Amino acid sequence: MPRRSKFIIAANRLPAHRVGDGRASRWVRSPGGLVSAMAPVLAKHTGCWIGWDGAVGRASHANVLDGLTLAPVGLTRGQVDAFYSGFCNGTLWPLYHDAIVTPQFHRAWWEYYRDVNARFAAAILRRAARRAMVWIHDYHLQLVPALLRQTRPDLRIGFFLHIPFPPEELFAWLPWRAAILRGLLGADLVAFQTEASSQNFSRAARRWTNGEGTDREVKIDSHTAHVRPIPISIDAATMESLAREPEVIEMARLIREQLGNRRMILGVDRMDYTKGIHDRLMAFEELLSERRLSVDDTVYVQIAVPSREESLGYREVRREVEERVGRINGQFSEPGSVAVHYFRRSLSHRELAAYYLAADVMLVTPLRDGMNLVAKEYVACRHDLGGVLVLSEFAGAAWELRRALLVNPRDIEAMKAVIIQALRMPTRERRMRMSILRVQVKRHDVFEWADVFLEELGA
Ligand code: ADQ
Protein backbone atom coordinates (compact mmCIF):
# COMPACT_ATOMS: atom_id res chain seq x y z
CA MET A 1 0.00 0.00 0.00
CA PRO A 2 1.55 3.35 -0.96
CA ARG A 3 2.01 6.16 1.53
CA ARG A 4 -1.13 8.27 1.85
CA SER A 5 -1.18 11.98 1.13
CA LYS A 6 -3.24 14.86 2.48
CA PHE A 7 -3.00 16.75 -0.77
CA ILE A 8 -3.23 15.25 -4.24
CA ILE A 9 -3.04 16.71 -7.68
CA ALA A 10 -4.28 14.70 -10.63
CA ALA A 11 -3.61 15.82 -14.17
CA ASN A 12 -3.21 14.02 -17.46
CA ARG A 13 0.55 14.56 -17.37
CA LEU A 14 3.05 14.44 -14.54
CA PRO A 15 5.03 17.66 -13.98
CA ALA A 16 8.26 15.83 -14.82
CA HIS A 17 9.66 13.62 -17.53
CA ARG A 18 12.32 10.94 -17.72
CA VAL A 19 15.59 11.58 -19.41
CA GLY A 20 18.10 8.89 -20.35
CA ASP A 21 17.59 5.17 -20.93
CA GLY A 22 17.01 2.15 -18.72
CA ARG A 23 18.77 2.14 -15.36
CA ALA A 24 20.53 5.43 -15.99
CA SER A 25 17.28 7.29 -16.57
CA ARG A 26 16.12 9.91 -14.08
CA TRP A 27 13.23 12.31 -13.55
CA VAL A 28 13.59 15.97 -14.45
CA ARG A 29 11.03 18.60 -13.49
CA SER A 30 9.22 20.09 -16.49
CA PRO A 31 9.19 23.87 -16.71
CA GLY A 32 5.91 25.72 -16.34
CA GLY A 33 3.87 28.04 -14.18
CA LEU A 34 1.49 25.35 -12.97
CA VAL A 35 4.34 23.29 -11.57
CA SER A 36 5.91 26.28 -9.83
CA ALA A 37 2.57 27.34 -8.38
CA MET A 38 1.87 23.88 -7.05
CA ALA A 39 5.33 23.20 -5.64
CA PRO A 40 4.95 25.20 -2.37
CA VAL A 41 1.44 23.87 -1.77
CA LEU A 42 2.55 20.30 -2.36
CA ALA A 43 5.61 20.68 -0.14
CA LYS A 44 3.51 22.12 2.71
CA HIS A 45 0.99 19.29 2.58
CA THR A 46 3.28 16.32 1.79
CA GLY A 47 1.66 16.20 -1.56
CA CYS A 48 1.49 13.76 -4.37
CA TRP A 49 0.98 14.29 -8.10
CA ILE A 50 -0.78 11.59 -10.11
CA GLY A 51 -0.49 11.60 -13.90
CA TRP A 52 0.60 9.83 -17.04
CA ASP A 53 4.38 9.71 -17.51
CA GLY A 54 4.10 9.89 -21.29
CA ALA A 55 5.36 6.33 -21.84
CA VAL A 56 3.33 3.59 -23.51
CA GLY A 57 3.01 0.36 -21.58
CA ARG A 58 3.86 -0.22 -17.94
CA ALA A 59 4.06 2.83 -15.73
CA SER A 60 7.34 3.60 -14.04
CA HIS A 61 7.54 3.34 -10.26
CA ALA A 62 6.51 6.17 -7.97
CA ASN A 63 9.35 8.52 -7.29
CA VAL A 64 10.18 11.46 -5.07
CA LEU A 65 11.55 14.54 -6.80
CA ASP A 66 12.36 17.69 -4.79
CA GLY A 67 10.08 16.49 -1.99
CA LEU A 68 7.16 15.80 -4.30
CA THR A 69 5.87 12.28 -4.80
CA LEU A 70 5.22 11.51 -8.44
CA ALA A 71 2.82 8.63 -8.99
CA PRO A 72 2.70 7.60 -12.66
CA VAL A 73 -0.40 6.09 -14.23
CA GLY A 74 0.41 3.82 -17.18
CA LEU A 75 -1.46 3.95 -20.47
CA THR A 76 -1.49 1.21 -23.11
CA ARG A 77 -1.11 1.95 -26.83
CA GLY A 78 -4.89 1.50 -27.22
CA GLN A 79 -5.56 3.98 -24.41
CA VAL A 80 -3.18 6.56 -25.81
CA ASP A 81 -4.88 6.29 -29.21
CA ALA A 82 -8.53 6.15 -28.15
CA PHE A 83 -8.49 8.10 -24.88
CA TYR A 84 -5.79 10.73 -25.45
CA SER A 85 -5.57 11.28 -29.21
CA GLY A 86 -9.19 10.18 -29.72
CA PHE A 87 -11.70 11.32 -27.13
CA CYS A 88 -9.60 14.07 -25.49
CA ASN A 89 -8.09 15.66 -28.57
CA GLY A 90 -10.48 14.54 -31.32
CA THR A 91 -13.80 14.99 -29.48
CA LEU A 92 -13.50 17.26 -26.43
CA TRP A 93 -10.78 19.69 -27.55
CA PRO A 94 -12.52 20.75 -30.81
CA LEU A 95 -15.98 20.72 -29.23
CA TYR A 96 -14.87 22.93 -26.35
CA HIS A 97 -13.13 25.31 -28.80
CA ASP A 98 -16.23 26.30 -30.78
CA ALA A 99 -15.94 23.29 -33.11
CA ILE A 100 -13.28 25.05 -35.22
CA VAL A 101 -12.53 21.53 -36.46
CA THR A 102 -15.53 19.19 -36.50
CA PRO A 103 -15.45 17.00 -33.39
CA GLN A 104 -15.72 13.23 -33.91
CA PHE A 105 -18.06 11.18 -31.79
CA HIS A 106 -17.02 7.53 -31.48
CA ARG A 107 -18.58 5.25 -28.90
CA ALA A 108 -15.39 3.21 -28.64
CA TRP A 109 -13.39 6.33 -27.71
CA TRP A 110 -15.94 7.12 -25.00
CA GLU A 111 -15.51 3.63 -23.49
CA TYR A 112 -11.78 4.29 -23.25
CA TYR A 113 -12.39 7.71 -21.70
CA ARG A 114 -14.50 6.07 -19.00
CA ASP A 115 -11.89 3.36 -18.37
CA VAL A 116 -8.97 5.76 -18.10
CA ASN A 117 -10.94 8.07 -15.79
CA ALA A 118 -11.69 5.04 -13.60
CA ARG A 119 -7.98 4.15 -13.52
CA PHE A 120 -7.08 7.67 -12.40
CA ALA A 121 -9.81 7.60 -9.75
CA ALA A 122 -8.48 4.26 -8.45
CA ALA A 123 -4.92 5.63 -8.32
CA ILE A 124 -6.14 8.65 -6.34
CA LEU A 125 -8.14 6.48 -3.94
CA ARG A 126 -5.08 4.33 -3.18
CA ARG A 127 -3.15 7.42 -2.12
CA ALA A 128 -5.71 9.72 -0.51
CA ALA A 129 -5.52 10.07 3.26
CA ARG A 130 -8.71 10.66 5.21
CA ARG A 131 -10.23 14.04 4.35
CA ALA A 132 -7.47 14.71 1.86
CA MET A 133 -7.77 17.49 -0.63
CA VAL A 134 -7.79 16.44 -4.27
CA TRP A 135 -7.28 18.94 -7.07
CA ILE A 136 -8.13 17.55 -10.51
CA HIS A 137 -7.03 19.32 -13.68
CA ASP A 138 -8.57 19.61 -17.08
CA TYR A 139 -10.76 18.01 -19.69
CA HIS A 140 -9.03 14.63 -19.66
CA LEU A 141 -10.39 13.82 -16.20
CA GLN A 142 -13.95 15.15 -16.04
CA LEU A 143 -15.47 11.94 -14.70
CA VAL A 144 -13.04 11.64 -11.80
CA PRO A 145 -14.77 13.98 -9.28
CA ALA A 146 -17.99 11.93 -9.13
CA LEU A 147 -16.08 8.62 -9.13
CA LEU A 148 -14.24 9.79 -6.01
CA ARG A 149 -17.31 11.12 -4.27
CA GLN A 150 -19.20 7.81 -4.70
CA THR A 151 -16.77 5.93 -2.47
CA ARG A 152 -15.08 8.67 -0.46
CA PRO A 153 -17.41 11.50 0.50
CA ASP A 154 -14.82 12.54 3.11
CA LEU A 155 -12.53 14.00 0.40
CA ARG A 156 -12.49 17.72 -0.55
CA ILE A 157 -12.60 17.66 -4.32
CA GLY A 158 -11.70 20.58 -6.59
CA PHE A 159 -11.67 20.67 -10.38
CA PHE A 160 -10.13 23.27 -12.70
CA LEU A 161 -10.81 23.37 -16.45
CA HIS A 162 -7.92 24.95 -18.38
CA ILE A 163 -9.85 25.24 -21.65
CA PRO A 164 -13.16 27.02 -22.34
CA PHE A 165 -16.45 25.38 -21.38
CA PRO A 166 -18.59 25.74 -24.52
CA PRO A 167 -22.00 27.37 -24.83
CA GLU A 168 -24.97 25.12 -24.08
CA GLU A 169 -26.00 24.66 -27.74
CA LEU A 170 -22.57 23.30 -28.63
CA PHE A 171 -22.12 21.20 -25.53
CA ALA A 172 -25.52 19.66 -26.31
CA TRP A 173 -23.95 17.85 -29.31
CA LEU A 174 -22.07 15.53 -27.01
CA PRO A 175 -23.86 12.16 -26.77
CA TRP A 176 -22.38 11.73 -23.26
CA ARG A 177 -23.16 15.24 -22.04
CA ALA A 178 -25.11 14.18 -18.95
CA ALA A 179 -22.39 11.78 -17.81
CA ILE A 180 -19.70 14.46 -18.14
CA LEU A 181 -21.78 17.02 -16.23
CA ARG A 182 -22.52 14.52 -13.48
CA GLY A 183 -18.82 13.70 -13.33
CA LEU A 184 -17.89 17.34 -12.78
CA LEU A 185 -20.70 17.98 -10.32
CA GLY A 186 -19.07 15.44 -8.01
CA ALA A 187 -16.58 18.16 -7.08
CA ASP A 188 -17.05 20.63 -4.23
CA LEU A 189 -15.57 23.34 -6.43
CA VAL A 190 -15.66 23.44 -10.24
CA ALA A 191 -13.60 26.37 -11.52
CA PHE A 192 -13.13 27.90 -14.95
CA GLN A 193 -10.96 30.51 -16.67
CA THR A 194 -13.78 33.01 -17.31
CA GLU A 195 -17.19 34.10 -16.14
CA ALA A 196 -18.63 32.94 -19.51
CA SER A 197 -17.30 29.39 -19.15
CA SER A 198 -18.51 29.27 -15.59
CA GLN A 199 -22.03 30.29 -16.64
CA ASN A 200 -22.04 27.96 -19.63
CA PHE A 201 -21.30 25.09 -17.28
CA SER A 202 -23.89 25.84 -14.61
CA ARG A 203 -26.56 26.38 -17.25
CA ALA A 204 -25.73 23.12 -19.03
CA ALA A 205 -25.71 21.33 -15.68
CA ARG A 206 -29.18 22.59 -14.80
CA ARG A 207 -30.47 21.73 -18.24
CA TRP A 208 -29.06 18.24 -18.77
CA THR A 209 -29.01 16.81 -15.24
CA ASN A 210 -31.40 16.93 -12.29
CA GLY A 211 -29.14 19.58 -10.72
CA GLU A 212 -30.78 22.80 -9.53
CA GLY A 213 -29.53 26.16 -8.36
CA THR A 214 -27.82 29.27 -9.69
CA ASP A 215 -24.82 30.22 -11.82
CA ARG A 216 -22.66 29.87 -8.71
CA GLU A 217 -24.10 26.80 -7.00
CA VAL A 218 -25.56 23.63 -8.40
CA LYS A 219 -27.25 21.22 -6.02
CA ILE A 220 -27.54 17.60 -7.07
CA ASP A 221 -28.46 14.50 -5.02
CA SER A 222 -27.99 16.40 -1.73
CA HIS A 223 -24.50 17.59 -2.68
CA THR A 224 -23.66 21.17 -3.68
CA ALA A 225 -21.02 21.99 -6.28
CA HIS A 226 -19.70 25.57 -6.15
CA VAL A 227 -18.98 27.06 -9.56
CA ARG A 228 -16.44 29.89 -9.96
CA PRO A 229 -14.34 31.73 -12.52
CA ILE A 230 -10.72 31.67 -11.26
CA PRO A 231 -8.48 32.84 -14.12
CA ILE A 232 -5.04 31.24 -14.22
CA SER A 233 -1.87 33.28 -14.52
CA ILE A 234 1.92 32.98 -14.70
CA ASP A 235 4.87 33.25 -12.35
CA ALA A 236 5.26 36.90 -13.36
CA ALA A 237 8.17 37.72 -11.04
CA THR A 238 10.34 34.87 -12.37
CA MET A 239 9.49 35.75 -15.95
CA GLU A 240 10.33 39.40 -15.36
CA SER A 241 13.62 38.64 -13.63
CA LEU A 242 14.64 36.47 -16.60
CA ALA A 243 13.92 39.38 -18.89
CA ARG A 244 16.08 41.63 -16.70
CA GLU A 245 19.16 39.40 -16.95
CA PRO A 246 21.92 41.18 -18.87
CA GLU A 247 22.50 38.11 -21.07
CA VAL A 248 18.83 38.01 -22.03
CA ILE A 249 18.83 41.72 -22.85
CA GLU A 250 21.93 41.13 -24.97
CA MET A 251 20.28 38.14 -26.65
CA ALA A 252 17.30 40.36 -27.54
CA ARG A 253 19.63 42.93 -29.06
CA LEU A 254 21.34 40.24 -31.11
CA ILE A 255 18.03 38.85 -32.37
CA ARG A 256 17.05 42.29 -33.62
CA GLU A 257 20.43 42.82 -35.19
CA GLN A 258 20.27 39.49 -37.00
CA LEU A 259 16.84 40.43 -38.34
CA GLY A 260 18.34 43.59 -39.79
CA ASN A 261 17.04 45.87 -37.02
CA ARG A 262 13.65 45.85 -38.68
CA ARG A 263 10.37 46.32 -36.81
CA MET A 264 9.58 42.91 -35.44
CA ILE A 265 6.18 41.25 -35.19
CA LEU A 266 6.12 38.03 -33.13
CA GLY A 267 3.85 34.99 -32.69
CA VAL A 268 4.58 32.23 -30.12
CA ASP A 269 2.20 29.29 -29.99
CA ARG A 270 1.72 25.57 -29.77
CA MET A 271 1.01 24.45 -33.33
CA ASP A 272 -2.75 24.15 -32.90
CA TYR A 273 -5.69 25.11 -35.09
CA THR A 274 -7.21 27.06 -32.20
CA LYS A 275 -4.30 29.52 -32.13
CA GLY A 276 -5.15 31.32 -35.37
CA ILE A 277 -1.61 31.20 -36.80
CA HIS A 278 -2.82 30.83 -40.36
CA ASP A 279 -5.24 33.78 -40.26
CA ARG A 280 -2.50 35.92 -38.76
CA LEU A 281 -0.16 35.04 -41.64
CA MET A 282 -2.90 35.90 -44.13
CA ALA A 283 -3.27 39.36 -42.63
CA PHE A 284 0.49 39.90 -42.84
CA GLU A 285 0.58 38.65 -46.43
CA GLU A 286 -2.19 41.04 -47.51
CA LEU A 287 -0.43 43.98 -45.86
CA LEU A 288 2.68 43.16 -47.85
CA SER A 289 0.84 42.70 -51.12
CA GLU A 290 -1.07 45.97 -50.63
CA ARG A 291 2.30 47.62 -49.92
CA ARG A 292 1.11 48.87 -46.56
CA LEU A 293 4.10 47.02 -45.12
CA SER A 294 7.46 46.27 -46.65
CA VAL A 295 10.09 43.64 -45.89
CA ASP A 296 12.66 46.42 -45.91
CA ASP A 297 11.56 47.58 -42.51
CA THR A 298 9.24 44.89 -41.08
CA VAL A 299 9.70 41.20 -40.26
CA TYR A 300 7.35 38.60 -38.83
CA VAL A 301 8.74 35.84 -36.58
CA GLN A 302 6.58 32.81 -35.81
CA ILE A 303 7.78 30.33 -33.21
CA ALA A 304 5.65 27.20 -33.00
CA VAL A 305 6.10 24.13 -30.79
CA PRO A 306 5.10 20.89 -32.49
CA SER A 307 2.03 19.46 -30.84
CA ARG A 308 -0.32 16.41 -30.93
CA GLU A 309 0.64 15.33 -34.40
CA GLU A 310 -1.31 12.07 -33.94
CA SER A 311 -4.64 13.86 -33.45
CA LEU A 312 -7.29 15.02 -35.85
CA GLY A 313 -6.57 18.34 -37.56
CA TYR A 314 -2.97 18.84 -36.38
CA ARG A 315 -1.06 17.67 -39.44
CA GLU A 316 -3.40 19.80 -41.55
CA VAL A 317 -2.78 22.97 -39.56
CA ARG A 318 0.96 22.43 -39.79
CA ARG A 319 0.76 21.92 -43.55
CA GLU A 320 -1.38 25.04 -44.01
CA VAL A 321 0.94 27.20 -41.95
CA GLU A 322 4.07 25.91 -43.66
CA GLU A 323 2.58 26.37 -47.12
CA ARG A 324 1.54 29.90 -46.30
CA VAL A 325 5.00 30.78 -44.92
CA GLY A 326 6.58 29.37 -48.09
CA ARG A 327 4.23 31.36 -50.27
CA ILE A 328 4.83 34.63 -48.45
CA ASN A 329 8.60 34.18 -48.49
CA GLY A 330 8.58 33.10 -52.12
CA GLN A 331 6.75 36.21 -53.11
CA PHE A 332 8.08 38.92 -50.82
CA SER A 333 11.50 38.04 -49.36
CA GLU A 334 14.53 39.92 -50.64
CA PRO A 335 18.19 38.99 -50.26
CA GLY A 336 18.99 39.78 -46.64
CA SER A 337 15.33 40.52 -45.81
CA VAL A 338 13.27 37.40 -45.24
CA ALA A 339 9.58 38.25 -44.75
CA VAL A 340 8.65 35.48 -42.29
CA HIS A 341 11.05 33.62 -40.01
CA TYR A 342 9.41 30.39 -38.93
CA PHE A 343 10.86 28.19 -36.19
CA ARG A 344 9.19 24.87 -35.47
CA ARG A 345 10.72 24.03 -32.12
CA SER A 346 10.47 24.45 -28.38
CA LEU A 347 12.56 27.21 -26.80
CA SER A 348 13.69 27.62 -23.20
CA HIS A 349 11.98 30.30 -21.11
CA ARG A 350 15.18 32.33 -21.26
CA GLU A 351 15.17 32.32 -25.08
CA LEU A 352 11.46 33.10 -25.13
CA ALA A 353 12.06 36.06 -22.81
CA ALA A 354 14.67 37.39 -25.27
CA TYR A 355 12.23 37.12 -28.20
CA TYR A 356 9.49 38.82 -26.15
CA LEU A 357 11.89 41.66 -25.32
CA ALA A 358 12.90 42.01 -28.95
CA ALA A 359 9.37 42.20 -30.41
CA ASP A 360 7.70 45.51 -31.21
CA VAL A 361 4.33 43.85 -31.69
CA MET A 362 3.15 40.60 -30.13
CA LEU A 363 0.29 38.89 -31.98
CA VAL A 364 -1.76 36.64 -29.73
CA THR A 365 -4.77 35.95 -31.91
CA PRO A 366 -6.35 32.57 -31.11
CA LEU A 367 -9.78 31.78 -32.53
CA ARG A 368 -10.63 30.48 -29.06
CA ASP A 369 -8.40 29.96 -26.00
CA GLY A 370 -9.09 29.15 -22.36
CA MET A 371 -6.66 31.81 -21.14
CA ASN A 372 -3.42 32.11 -23.19
CA LEU A 373 -0.32 32.45 -21.09
CA VAL A 374 1.86 33.81 -23.89
CA ALA A 375 -0.01 37.15 -23.67
CA LYS A 376 0.78 37.38 -19.95
CA GLU A 377 4.40 36.28 -20.41
CA TYR A 378 4.95 39.02 -22.98
CA VAL A 379 3.60 41.66 -20.60
CA ALA A 380 5.67 40.34 -17.68
CA CYS A 381 8.85 40.60 -19.77
CA ARG A 382 8.31 44.18 -20.93
CA HIS A 383 9.86 45.98 -17.94
CA ASP A 384 11.03 48.59 -20.48
CA LEU A 385 7.34 49.43 -21.15
CA GLY A 386 8.06 48.79 -24.83
CA GLY A 387 6.03 46.65 -27.18
CA VAL A 388 2.36 46.43 -28.08
CA LEU A 389 0.15 43.44 -27.34
CA VAL A 390 -2.50 42.58 -29.92
CA LEU A 391 -4.94 40.16 -28.31
CA SER A 392 -7.88 38.14 -29.60
CA GLU A 393 -11.25 38.87 -28.03
CA PHE A 394 -11.68 35.10 -27.86
CA ALA A 395 -8.78 34.41 -25.49
CA GLY A 396 -9.70 34.17 -21.81
CA ALA A 397 -6.90 36.69 -21.21
CA ALA A 398 -8.96 39.39 -22.97
CA TRP A 399 -11.24 39.52 -19.91
CA GLU A 400 -8.35 40.84 -17.85
CA LEU A 401 -5.99 42.51 -20.33
CA ARG A 402 -8.37 45.23 -21.44
CA ARG A 403 -5.60 47.65 -22.44
CA ALA A 404 -4.24 45.36 -25.12
CA LEU A 405 -5.41 46.08 -28.67
CA LEU A 406 -8.34 43.68 -28.84
CA VAL A 407 -9.29 42.15 -32.16
CA ASN A 408 -11.61 39.62 -33.77
CA PRO A 409 -9.11 37.24 -35.41
CA ARG A 410 -11.56 36.11 -38.09
CA ASP A 411 -11.92 39.67 -39.32
CA ILE A 412 -8.88 39.92 -41.57
CA GLU A 413 -9.45 43.62 -42.33
CA ALA A 414 -9.59 44.37 -38.60
CA MET A 415 -6.42 42.31 -38.06
CA LYS A 416 -4.63 44.30 -40.74
CA ALA A 417 -5.77 47.59 -39.27
CA VAL A 418 -4.71 46.61 -35.76
CA ILE A 419 -1.23 45.51 -36.91
CA ILE A 420 -0.74 48.91 -38.54
CA GLN A 421 -2.10 50.67 -35.47
CA ALA A 422 0.28 48.71 -33.23
CA LEU A 423 3.30 49.49 -35.41
CA ARG A 424 2.46 53.19 -35.46
CA MET A 425 1.42 53.63 -31.86
CA PRO A 426 2.94 56.76 -30.29
CA THR A 427 5.46 56.05 -27.52
CA ARG A 428 3.37 57.72 -24.83
CA GLU A 429 0.31 55.61 -25.54
CA ARG A 430 2.41 52.43 -25.82
CA ARG A 431 4.05 53.00 -22.45
CA MET A 432 0.77 53.90 -20.80
CA ARG A 433 -0.98 50.77 -22.07
CA MET A 434 1.91 48.52 -21.15
CA SER A 435 2.19 49.86 -17.62
CA ILE A 436 -1.52 49.26 -16.99
CA LEU A 437 -1.22 45.71 -18.39
CA ARG A 438 1.79 45.10 -16.17
CA VAL A 439 -0.04 46.09 -13.00
CA GLN A 440 -2.72 43.51 -13.84
CA VAL A 441 -0.29 40.66 -14.61
CA LYS A 442 2.01 41.30 -11.65
CA ARG A 443 -0.82 41.67 -9.16
CA HIS A 444 -2.67 38.56 -10.27
CA ASP A 445 -0.02 35.89 -10.66
CA VAL A 446 -0.21 32.10 -10.57
CA PHE A 447 0.42 32.02 -6.82
CA GLU A 448 -2.62 34.18 -6.20
CA TRP A 449 -4.60 31.89 -8.51
CA ALA A 450 -3.65 28.82 -6.48
CA ASP A 451 -4.42 30.62 -3.20
CA VAL A 452 -7.86 31.70 -4.40
CA PHE A 453 -8.65 28.20 -5.64
CA LEU A 454 -7.62 26.55 -2.38
CA GLU A 455 -9.44 29.15 -0.31
CA GLU A 456 -12.64 28.58 -2.30
CA LEU A 457 -12.16 24.86 -1.81
CA GLY A 458 -11.98 25.46 1.90
CA ALA A 459 -8.34 24.48 2.40
P1 ADQ B 1 -1.97 25.82 -24.07
O1 ADQ B 1 -3.00 25.69 -25.13
O2 ADQ B 1 -0.81 24.94 -24.17
O3 ADQ B 1 -2.61 25.66 -22.61
P2 ADQ B 1 -0.90 28.64 -23.54
O4 ADQ B 1 -1.66 29.23 -22.44
O5 ADQ B 1 -0.66 29.54 -24.68
O6 ADQ B 1 -1.53 27.37 -24.22
O7 ADQ B 1 0.48 28.15 -22.96
C1 ADQ B 1 1.52 27.78 -23.79
C2 ADQ B 1 2.81 27.68 -22.98
O8 ADQ B 1 3.75 27.08 -23.83
C3 ADQ B 1 3.34 29.06 -22.59
O9 ADQ B 1 3.85 29.00 -21.29
C4 ADQ B 1 4.44 29.31 -23.62
O10 ADQ B 1 5.56 30.02 -23.11
C5 ADQ B 1 4.88 27.91 -23.98
N1 ADQ B 1 5.33 27.91 -25.38
C6 ADQ B 1 4.66 28.26 -26.48
N2 ADQ B 1 5.42 28.18 -27.56
C7 ADQ B 1 6.63 27.75 -27.13
C8 ADQ B 1 7.87 27.45 -27.77
N3 ADQ B 1 8.04 27.53 -29.09
N4 ADQ B 1 8.88 27.03 -27.00
C9 ADQ B 1 8.73 26.91 -25.67
N5 ADQ B 1 7.60 27.17 -25.02
C10 ADQ B 1 6.56 27.59 -25.75
C11 ADQ B 1 -3.88 25.42 -22.02
C12 ADQ B 1 -5.03 26.27 -22.54
C13 ADQ B 1 -4.72 27.75 -22.38
C14 ADQ B 1 -4.38 28.06 -20.92
C15 ADQ B 1 -3.34 27.10 -20.39
C16 ADQ B 1 -3.16 27.25 -18.87
O11 ADQ B 1 -5.30 25.96 -23.90
O12 ADQ B 1 -5.81 28.54 -22.80
O13 ADQ B 1 -3.89 29.37 -20.82
O14 ADQ B 1 -3.71 25.74 -20.62
O15 ADQ B 1 -4.36 27.11 -18.20
Side-chain angles (χ1 to χ4, degrees):
M1 201 62 167
R3 192 162 149 234
R4 301 215 170 229
S5 297
K6 287 295 257 183
F7 186 81
I8 293 180
I9 290 188
N12 179 53
R13 291 303 292 266
L14 283 174
H17 52 277
R18 289 182 86 89
V19 291
D21 289 327
R23 287 244 179 121
S25 78
R26 62 194 170 85
W27 288 97
V28 176
R29 208 162 108 171
S30 312
L34 182 62
V35 188
S36 331
M38 294 295 107
V41 190
L42 285 159
K44 195 165 102 195
H45 295 86
T46 21
C48 164
W49 189 308
I50 295 175
W52 178 38
D53 59 8
V56 177
R58 271 186 53 178
S60 18
H61 292 296
N63 212 291
V64 179
L65 178 72
D66 305 335
L68 162 65
T69 303
L70 302 172
V73 173
L75 295 183
T76 62
R77 171 48 54 200
Q79 286 168 335
V80 175
D81 291 345
F83 159 77
Y84 180 69
S85 299
F87 199 77
C88 291
N89 293 328
T91 307
L92 294 173
W93 179 270
L95 182 70
Y96 283 29
H97 288 88
D98 294 351
I100 298 168
V101 159
T102 309
Q104 307 262 312
F105 301 106
H106 296 303
R107 282 163 285 183
W109 287 359
W110 166 247
E111 295 301 324
Y112 274 94
Y113 187 76
R114 283 203 335 209
D115 287 354
V116 172
N117 271 254
R119 280 179 63 89
F120 268 82
I124 295 168
L125 291 171
R126 273 199 299 278
R127 296 203 165 251
R130 221 184 126 56
R131 303 174 65 176
M133 200 142 30
V134 184
W135 185 348
I136 301 150
H137 290 265
D138 231 1
Y139 60 104
H140 316 88
L141 302 177
Q142 295 172 101
L143 304 179
V144 172
L147 290 171
L148 299 180
R149 177 163 306 282
Q150 273 165 19
T151 40
R152 291 284 300 278
D154 61 294
L155 301 175
R156 277 308 279 169
I157 306 166
F159 182 94
F160 184 77
L161 188 70
H162 290 256
I163 67 174
F165 193 91
E168 219 176 303
E169 312 83 75
L170 255 177
F171 186 74
W173 292 6
L174 194 63
W176 310 283
R177 62 198 179 195
I180 297 239
L181 292 165
R182 290 186 151 277
L184 290 168
L185 288 169
D188 296 289
L189 171 66
V190 194
F192 299 89
Q193 302 275 27
T194 63
E195 188 72 54
S197 285
S198 185
Q199 276 180 9
N200 288 343
F201 169 74
S202 16
R203 288 175 191 176
R206 281 175 284 155
R207 173 129 182 230
W208 306 113
T209 73
N210 58 334
E212 288 181 342
T214 64
D215 283 351
R216 300 218 127 202
E217 272 181 18
V218 180
K219 199 163 177 210
I220 184 163
D221 308 334
S222 74
H223 159 69
T224 301
H226 298 266
V227 183
R228 295 282 183 276
I230 309 180
I232 199 169
S233 193
I234 57 164
D235 182 350
T238 301
M239 201 73 216
E240 170 165 358
S241 61
L242 268 181
R244 284 186 185 278
E245 285 180 11
E247 306 89 90
V248 171
I249 295 173
E250 175 57 16
M251 218 191 300
R253 196 193 59 75
L254 264 174
I255 291 170
R256 288 188 68 96
E257 192 178 284
Q258 283 159 351
L259 295 170
N261 286 318
R262 291 179 288 167
R263 297 181 298 180
M264 174 181 164
I265 303 173
L266 177 66
V268 173
D269 312 78
R270 245 183 343 92
M271 181 63 86
D272 193 300
Y273 51 80
T274 59
K275 303 288 182 185
I277 306 172
H278 186 254
D279 304 73
R280 212 184 286 162
L281 284 164
M282 264 171 66
F284 184 65
E285 179 179 12
E286 288 190 18
L287 286 170
L288 289 174
S289 75
E290 291 164 13
R291 297 175 192 277
R292 292 163 74 188
L293 288 183
S294 148
V295 296
D296 296 338
D297 62 1
T298 312
V299 57
Y300 176 56
V301 178
Q302 176 65 53
I303 306 171
V305 210
S307 163
R308 306 181 191 164
E309 295 192 338
E310 301 308 309
S311 297
L312 184 86
Y314 285 81
R315 256 168 285 180
E316 290 80 349
V317 69
R318 177 179 165 195
R319 188 176 36 77
E320 273 175 20
V321 164
E322 294 183 348
E323 278 178 14
R324 181 70 61 171
V325 170
R327 230 175 82 159
I328 300 177
N329 281 337
Q331 193 166 348
F332 298 102
S333 294
E334 295 286 344
S337 296
V338 172
V340 180
H341 283 262
Y342 163 66
F343 305 115
R344 181 174 166 274
R345 71 195 66 149
S346 175
L347 301 185
S348 68
H349 264 82
R350 178 172 271 102
E351 289 169 304
L352 275 183
Y355 275 95
Y356 290 144
L357 261 186
D360 297 293
V361 176
M362 181 80 214
L363 294 183
V364 180
T365 57
L367 304 176
R368 177 60 75 193
D369 216 331
M371 174 56 61
N372 196 297
L373 300 180
V374 168
K376 294 187 171 183
E377 290 167 359
Y378 181 64
V379 169
C381 286
R382 296 315 298 249
H383 49 80
D384 58 348
L385 305 186
V388 179
L389 174 64
V390 172
L391 180 59
S392 162
E393 291 165 15
F394 305 111
W399 291 62
E400 295 168 83
L401 304 180
R402 308 302 302 172
R403 285 308 176 106
L405 295 182
L406 298 181
V407 68
N408 170 2
R410 288 180 174 83
D411 182 344
I412 300 294
E413 290 305 323
M415 288 271 279
K416 286 154 64 181
V418 88
I419 292 172
I420 297 291
Q421 185 190 353
L423 286 167
R424 292 196 186 143
M425 188 178 284
T427 312
R428 237 175 88 92
E429 181 182 352
R430 193 171 65 220
R431 293 175 67 85
M432 189 267 293
R433 284 180 183 269
M434 188 52 80
S435 45
I436 297 173
L437 291 173
R438 286 175 58 74
V439 170
Q440 172 71 29
V441 171
K442 288 166 78 158
R443 204 174 273 167
H444 304 289
D445 65 6
V446 75
F447 302 102
E448 188 207 56
W449 169 77
D451 284 349
V452 172
F453 186 95
L454 292 173
E455 203 177 295
E456 291 277 357
L457 186 57

